[in-house]
Amino acid sequence: MAPTATSSLVSQGQKVLLVGTASASPSELTETRNAILSSVGAQGSVTFEQLDRLATIPLPAATYNTIVTGAVAPSAYQHSDAVLVALAKTLVPGGGLSLTEPVVSGVTSLPAIGQAIQRSEAELVSTLKISGFVEITTANKRKATVQEIQGLLGAWGLQADAAALEGQIDFVEISAKKPAYELGAATALPWARKGAAANKTATPAAPAPKPAAKVWTVSANDNDDEDAELEDEDNLLDESDLIKPTKEQLEAPECGPTSLKKKKCKNCTCGMEESEGEPEEESQGAIVSSGPVPNEAIVASAGNKWKGSAITEVVPKSLQPKSSCGNCYLGDAFRCGSCPYLGMPAFQPGQKVQLGGSMLKDDIDF
């Protein structure tokens, strides 16, 4: 005999999936199948599957109008989350589910039956919602008899007192439906369209904004701006700027520091001789002394010490390098790259550069 929820879900011409268990008797399976066939008629069909196979086999998507599971006694097994998701996928949009399952009467599990039953009716309804079902209602609920509890214990392979479990196990028959749309479907919300149309008719058109006042404008081409006052370029020139230079003024001089010549003349009178110097004279006049270094001489070799070496190479004062530019005393900013005074502070012409006595003292007394 078909469950109560099945009769309200099954109609003529539907495809129905009947889910049974291995512990169900063949005679009861045949009786339930024939009852469903009489409801769907010749245009409909009934397909059978085992409950323990549903989570592992590929079921056709959106195929069945109704699924009946747990209707054949003994209805001893829970429907896992994976099984419920598979059942939801194989239903057509708007299809129905008739599910019968044993649950505990209270909110706590029963230690005598271990993991066989773990959830109550409220927890089963919550699991169905999470699996994607809607319109979930309890079509029938009754207490399990002692004889039915003995059949459940035999299906679970447990040894327990069936009389002690009387009144603690319920059979619930739940009816649910799949939403009238598939997963990922999209549609426009009707209230959004109505609201947009109402706003168009009720809201008056906004007035056109007033043009902003032009405080000032800038033309991309100054010549197009008739009101712009331009500076006369001729007024920016002096009388000397209007004199055309001669050819002699534009040509480089034949002699002198600014000329194109790289070497001085034989009888140089323009000053290039002093700026170029005589490299052969610089190497002459070196004196090797074993005595003290005179004050009028400088060390020619930076590797020697003034008094730490027995032999010190010095250069007499008459052979010391002279300034050819006259700017050596101004400081390093005005000195040439080969100036002998590089690194020394600025001084007056003819002044001997010496460090003050305070420069030889420590800043901090210990």
Side-chain angles (χ1 to χ4, degrees), residues 35-344:
I36 298 175
L37 278 175
S38 62
S39 300
V40 299
Q43 302 296 327
S45 62
V46 179
T47 306
F48 178 78
E49 276 295 346
Q50 294 285 359
L51 177 63
D52 55 352
R53 287 167 40 88
L54 293 179
T56 57
I57 62 174
L59 293 175
T63 301
Y64 301 104
N65 303 102
T66 305
I67 297 177
V68 179
T69 175
V72 182
S75 179
Y77 304 100
Q78 291 185 350
H79 297 76
S80 63
D81 298 346
V83 169
L84 294 177
V85 171
L87 294 179
K89 289 181 179 180
T90 195
L91 278 175
V92 298
L97 171 69
S98 175
L99 181 145
T100 304
E101 182 178 302
V103 296
V104 294
S105 298
V107 295
T108 59
S109 60
L110 301 177
I113 57 179
Q115 301 295 324
I117 301 178
Q118 298 179 347
R119 57 190 177 193
S120 61
E121 178 188 357
E123 293 172 342
L124 174 59
V125 172
S126 177
T127 304
L128 288 170
K129 291 180 180 179
I130 295 175
S131 301
F133 291 96
V134 296
E135 300 182 22
I136 304 171
T137 57
T138 302
N140 188 17
K141 180 180 179 179
R142 60 182 181 83
K143 296 288 184 181
T145 63
V146 176
Q147 184 178 359
E148 290 175 334
I149 295 176
Q150 290 178 349
L152 294 176
L153 294 175
W156 297 335
L158 298 177
Q159 298 291 333
D161 188 3
L165 297 175
E166 186 179 4
Q168 301 185 41
I169 299 177
D170 294 340
F171 282 106
V172 292
E173 184 183 344
I174 293 180
S175 173
K177 286 188 177 183
K178 181 180 179 177
Y181 52 84
E182 286 290 354
L183 181 65
T187 183
L189 299 176
W191 60 265
R193 294 195 299 267
K194 293 179 181 179
N199 291 336
K200 290 182 180 179
T201 56
T203 305
K210 296 181 179 180
K214 296 182 179 180
V215 181
W216 54 273
T217 57
V218 177
S219 176
N221 188 355
D222 292 339
N223 296 329
D224 297 339
D225 197 346
E226 298 178 355
D227 300 332
E229 296 182 0
L230 303 179
E231 185 72 25
D232 189 0
E233 298 177 354
D234 296 336
N235 296 334
L236 302 177
L237 301 176
D238 298 334
E239 294 181 359
S240 60
D241 297 330
L242 300 177
I243 300 175
K244 183 178 180 180
T246 62
K247 182 179 180 181
E248 291 75 11
Q249 292 175 342
L250 296 176
E251 291 180 353
E254 297 181 357
C255 187
T258 59
S259 65
L260 300 179
K261 296 176 62 177
K262 300 299 183 181
K263 293 184 179 182
K264 63 181 179 61
C265 301
K266 185 176 181 180
N267 297 322
C268 181
T269 58
C270 65
M272 184 179 287
E273 181 179 4
E274 288 79 1
S275 61
E276 185 175 319
E278 293 290 346
E280 62 274 8
E281 294 180 357
E282 293 179 359
S283 60
Q284 297 176 359
I287 303 174
V288 178
S289 173
S290 60
V293 178
N295 295 330
E296 65 273 9
I298 63 173
V299 179
S301 177
N304 297 329
K305 298 181 180 179
W306 284 84
K307 297 181 181 180
S309 176
I311 300 175
T312 305
E313 184 179 1
V314 298
V315 179
K317 185 177 181 180
S318 59
L319 299 179
Q320 292 181 17
K322 296 180 181 180
S323 174
S324 59
C325 61
N327 296 330
C328 299
Y329 68 94
L330 296 177
D332 285 349
F334 302 90
R335 294 167 181 165
C336 305
S338 60
C339 183
Y341 296 98
L342 278 177
M344 295 185 183

